[in-house]
Amino acid sequence: MGLQANIMVKLKEAMKAKDQVALTSLRAVKAELLLAQTASGSKEELTEAEEIKLIQKLVKQRKDSAAIFSEQNRADLAEPELAQAAVIEQFLPEQLSEGEVEKIVLQVIESTGALGMKDMGKVMAEVNKEVAGQADGKTISMIVKKALMS
């Protein structure tokens, strides 16, 4: 079952359960998918990689908003953002642990022959292809920096 069909099923479940957080989150995902699909002017389906990237973007937006609200001591605004992020995250592939990402980073550094920070972009691009939505960019970036500096 495709992502859009899966979201529609979850949306109906949320409506029946009267779960406002899930409803808001799923409607946002559905809207973003429709916008992305129609942005190119065609009615073609999005690829799985594009869908994952879009879901990651939505989760990141919610987490960033929650972090800002937390810094401003606004837990009343941060909690709904985190709850929405949790609902949206269920559509992402299972995330890799930092140890697994580190193994992949070290393999990519070895295979590309990266020597220092000047090769970070090349390493990041390869690692992102390899993990395909199973780790967030911030974690990958941190691990790549650490590996290239040592």
Side-chain angles (χ1 to χ4, degrees):
M1 175 167 33
L3 180 64
Q4 288 183 329
N6 195 0
I7 287 173
M8 289 306 294
V9 168
K10 296 286 186 183
L11 198 57
K12 288 175 187 171
E13 289 173 7
M15 284 181 192
K16 288 177 184 174
K18 295 182 178 16
D19 183 349
Q20 290 303 313
V21 173
L23 267 174
T24 305
S25 307
L26 294 169
R27 284 181 178 146
V29 172
K30 182 180 172 193
E32 281 293 322
L33 285 170
L34 287 172
L35 281 172
Q37 190 173 346
T38 56
S40 63
S42 65
K43 291 287 182 195
E44 294 178 22
E45 292 289 315
L46 295 173
T47 65
E48 190 174 338
E50 291 171 329
E51 290 173 342
I52 289 172
K53 197 173 281 190
L54 193 114
I55 300 282
Q56 282 180 319
K57 181 182 108 182
L58 292 172
V59 169
K60 184 179 184 321
Q61 286 174 341
R62 305 268 177 321
K63 287 184 177 181
D64 289 348
S65 295
I68 291 168
F69 291 140
S70 294
E71 286 172 14
Q72 298 172 346
N73 295 322
R74 294 294 310 263
D76 59 320
L77 297 175
E79 288 173 17
E81 293 290 330
L82 290 172
Q84 285 186 20
V87 170
I88 298 170
E89 277 180 323
Q90 70 184 340
F91 298 103
L92 286 173
E94 192 167 321
Q95 299 294 294
L96 297 173
S97 70
E98 281 192 30
E100 293 169 318
V101 173
E102 193 168 355
K103 280 183 195 171
I104 292 169
V105 167
L106 294 174
Q107 288 171 353
V108 169
I109 288 173
E110 190 176 306
S111 68
T112 60
L115 300 172
M117 289 304 290
K118 67 181 180 355
D119 296 321
M120 184 168 175
K122 183 169 47 172
V123 173
M124 286 290 296
E126 286 297 316
V127 171
N128 279 324
K129 281 184 203 171
E130 190 112 3
V131 298
Q134 294 179 313
D136 70 311
K138 192 183 282 186
T139 304
I140 296 170
S141 174
M142 181 188 70
I143 293 171
V144 169
K145 280 181 188 173
K146 189 174 83 175
L148 288 175
M149 291 186 134
S150 58

